[in-house]
Amino acid sequence: MPVTDPVSMIAALVVIFSVAAVVWLMIAVGLRESPWGCASLAGANGLLALSFLLYDRAFIPPVLPAHAWWPDTLSLAAFGLVRLSVPLIGERPAPWRNTFAVAAGLPLVAALLGLGPETLSRMALLFGAMGGFAAFAALDAFRLLRWRSLRGSTAFTIALPLLVMAMLVWSRPLVAVLLPAHAANLDVRSPFNVAWLWASVVLALALNGWMAFLLLTKLVLQIRRLTERDPLTDALNRRALSQAMDVEHARQMRGHGYALVLLDMDRFKQLNDTLGHAAGDAALQALVAIASPCLREVDLLGRLGGEEFCALLPHTDIAGATLVAERMRAVLEALPFEWNGQVWSLTASFGVAESSGQDVSAAEVMRRADQALYRAKGQGRNVVQAVERVA
């Protein structure tokens, strides 16, 4: 393939997008992993392959008018599907209506206004929307990865190819304004077209590889979440909480204290015996749902087993942890639990302890919190008890 022949490079893009469309369709139908997201990517690659193919009007079916605006219209629809694919892969709500309105409405508006296929106004309208779709997809990817607990810098780096693609698309109308002599049709040999097509080849490969990486990242993070979370309540499991406590205790050695709040649901066995084990499971889920909003983003809530939970509060002293425990106790008491028409008052007892430089390990802090919880149970339940910090 001549490296400066636009027609050959367009043919290469048709092949790349066609192969990618088949691969994504196989993943959607065969593996059934994020099927709607993969199907959207298959459609996007298929439409992009068709749009580049139709730069040669000989490929336009005789039943369709041989308009030169077919490639841009199909490319806009393809970028709309790219916009939808990111939230769909992440199993998040996708903006179907807005995307469809833009993808279908803008070509219609351009036609009604009589904007020719080679006019700057049409190019700015359609290419601006394509770049906008890619930019919003990059933003969605960043948010999705942050929601999956990836660091901001890592999430931005992974989302960068979509942002680069947006800038590549926007470059065509921009060059048409600043350097009109270089803004020839895509199949005409010019320095800008050659550079633009080479960048498109690279980004076509990078984008599909990036989407595959995003899908793989999602699967890896799902597996990691399954290994760290309690399947019933979605709180951290005992092992994950223990690891987090060890990390926090290492910081304690550098002068950063923390506190633990142990909570144990009152009369849980009686609840199980009276309302059934399904009600007990629902009560544990309700406890986590009620207690979690009382914690900060940096705090962690884990299930130790049965009806016993532990909240890890970094950079918190005994007074602050006691306030958190009291808030959880009051909110839990104020929201009665209902099961099959029967109302049950959910309460819990709390033991609070603060770390100390004298503690050899986090287990020492946990032992003091457990002693405080035992005293709270002995005082009639639905009580917060704290132990003073070891000197």
Side-chain angles (χ1 to χ4, degrees):
M1 181 185 74
V3 295
T4 60
D5 179 17
V7 175
S8 298
M9 297 176 72
I10 288 173
L13 283 167
V14 171
V15 172
I16 292 171
F17 286 126
S18 299
V19 171
V22 173
V23 171
W24 283 114
L25 189 60
M26 290 173 62
I27 294 175
V29 176
L31 298 182
R32 297 185 180 277
E33 180 57 46
S34 299
W36 285 108
C38 294
S40 294
L41 286 172
N45 279 281
L47 289 175
L48 286 171
L50 186 58
S51 70
F52 279 104
L53 186 66
L54 294 183
Y55 273 105
D56 185 346
R57 298 191 193 184
F59 288 100
I60 299 178
V63 296
L64 297 175
H67 286 307
W69 42 257
W70 281 113
D72 292 345
T73 304
L74 292 174
S75 294
L76 179 61
F79 275 88
L81 289 175
V82 171
R83 164 77 174 95
L84 294 173
S85 65
V86 175
L88 288 173
I89 285 178
E91 298 178 355
R92 310 290 287 176
W96 289 98
R97 292 181 180 178
N98 293 343
T99 303
F100 178 79
V102 173
L106 286 187
L108 181 61
V109 169
L112 292 175
L113 294 177
L115 303 179
E118 298 176 7
T119 61
L120 178 60
S121 299
R122 182 184 180 85
M123 183 181 292
L125 186 67
L126 297 188
F127 277 78
M130 291 181 212
F133 279 146
F136 275 112
L139 181 61
D140 283 343
F142 176 80
R143 289 173 174 170
L144 173 65
L145 294 169
R146 289 291 291 143
W147 182 71
R148 298 282 186 181
S149 303
L150 277 153
R151 293 170 53 186
S153 58
T154 304
F156 176 79
T157 302
I158 295 175
L160 191 58
L162 278 170
L163 192 58
V164 174
M165 175 165 282
M167 292 187 287
L168 178 68
V169 172
W170 285 331
S171 69
R172 287 203 69 82
L174 183 62
V175 168
V177 173
L178 300 178
L179 302 168
H182 294 270
N185 289 338
L186 196 57
D187 55 352
V188 175
R189 182 174 298 179
S190 73
F192 174 70
N193 277 348
V194 171
W196 195 89
L197 285 168
W198 268 115
S200 297
V201 169
V202 173
L203 280 175
L205 297 170
L207 177 63
N208 283 286
W210 175 86
M211 285 293 187
F213 178 76
L214 184 64
L215 183 63
L216 179 62
T217 300
K218 173 203 165 188
L219 295 175
V220 170
L221 291 175
Q222 282 181 337
I223 293 171
R224 188 176 76 177
R225 186 175 182 84
L226 289 173
T227 63
E228 293 179 346
R229 295 283 170 171
D230 172 55
L232 176 64
T233 64
D234 199 42
L236 289 177
N237 59 32
R238 190 182 189 109
R239 183 181 63 84
L241 181 65
S242 177
Q243 290 176 346
M245 289 168 55
D246 289 340
V247 170
E248 206 58 46
H249 194 78
R251 292 181 183 147
Q252 158 72 32
M253 299 296 100
R254 300 191 296 270
H256 301 286
Y258 65 94
L260 297 179
V261 176
L262 281 183
L263 54 150
D264 189 274
M265 186 180 292
D266 298 328
R267 300 184 300 138
F268 184 68
K269 183 178 183 306
Q270 184 179 348
L271 185 153
N272 273 331
D273 293 342
T274 304
L275 302 182
H277 289 281
D281 291 344
L284 293 174
Q285 293 170 337
L287 184 148
V288 171
I290 293 169
S292 294
C294 299
L295 302 174
R296 303 165 301 175
E297 187 176 351
V298 297
D299 299 333
L300 298 174
L301 179 65
R303 185 183 181 190
L304 299 179
E307 68 274 22
E308 190 172 16
F309 296 81
C310 177
L312 171 63
L313 313 179
H315 308 291
T316 305
D317 59 15
I318 193 72
T322 302
L323 286 175
V324 171
E326 180 58 37
R327 187 184 310 127
M328 287 192 287
R329 187 205 63 78
V331 173
L332 187 64
E333 182 184 33
L335 295 174
F337 172 71
E338 184 174 344
W339 181 262
N340 291 337
Q342 298 185 62
V343 177
W344 188 277
S345 179
L346 289 184
T347 63
S349 301
F350 296 79
V352 183
E354 179 186 3
S355 65
S356 165
Q358 303 300 317
D359 295 316
V360 176
S361 67
E364 293 293 321
V365 190
M366 177 71 81
R367 181 183 57 79
R368 293 200 302 276
D370 191 58
Q371 290 174 347
L373 175 63
Y374 182 79
R375 290 206 301 269
K377 288 286 187 182
Q379 292 179 359
R381 300 180 175 86
N382 194 24
V383 172
V384 174
Q385 268 293 325
V387 292
E388 294 299 326
R389 177 178 178 177
V390 177

